[in-house]
Amino acid sequence: GLWTVQFTPPPAGLPERATLQLQRHAEFSDSLAGTLSRDMQSVAAPAPGHASQAALAGDLDEGMLLLDESSDKVSITGTWNGEMVAGSCGRVYRGVWKDTSASAAPDAPGVAFTLTRLP
């Protein structure tokens, strides 16, 4: 399905909001795959190593969401670690996004996100 994500605060060089399209992985039925779309034109100085479109793959298991993001479809440029919000019936997840691109500082802090399913 289609999801919107809000970062608080936005990651350096990336927009505050993005859209995710997630579906069951074509090869691994217990996993997820999809795409992340960002409006990089809305950022004054876009972060190197990140693209407006990125591939996503990961797992959803017992309310825990774990995704890897790749802006170049080769290396992992971001990781998502979230947990379903109690009472949201699987429609809202909160967690931490981590920049793992080559341009990220080794001690870069994680960024809080809220992922909400769109109708």
Side-chain angles (χ1 to χ4, degrees):
L2 195 58
W3 299 76
T4 183
V5 65
Q6 166 101 31
F7 294 101
T8 312
L14 295 173
E16 179 180 21
R17 293 185 178 276
T19 304
L20 283 74
Q21 177 72 43
L22 293 171
Q23 62 271 338
R24 194 175 300 280
H25 195 287
E27 294 177 43
F28 307 103
S29 62
D30 289 341
S31 297
L32 299 171
T35 55
L36 168 72
S37 300
R38 296 182 178 103
D39 179 8
M40 297 297 276
Q41 294 179 346
S42 68
V43 182
H50 292 282
S52 59
Q53 295 284 320
L56 296 170
D59 296 302
L60 178 59
D61 187 33
E62 296 184 16
M64 296 298 296
L65 178 69
L66 303 170
L67 295 172
D68 290 334
E69 170 188 329
S70 178
S71 286
D72 61 7
K73 296 187 174 77
V74 176
S75 57
I76 296 173
T77 53
T79 58
W80 301 70
N81 186 343
E83 189 170 1
M84 182 176 63
V85 173
S88 73
C89 297
R91 300 185 78 72
V92 180
Y93 289 81
R94 287 201 179 102
V96 174
W97 177 86
K98 184 93 170 142
D99 187 349
T100 59
S101 67
S103 63
D107 58 350
V111 177
F113 72 82
T114 301
L115 185 63
T116 307
R117 180 139 189 186
L118 294 172

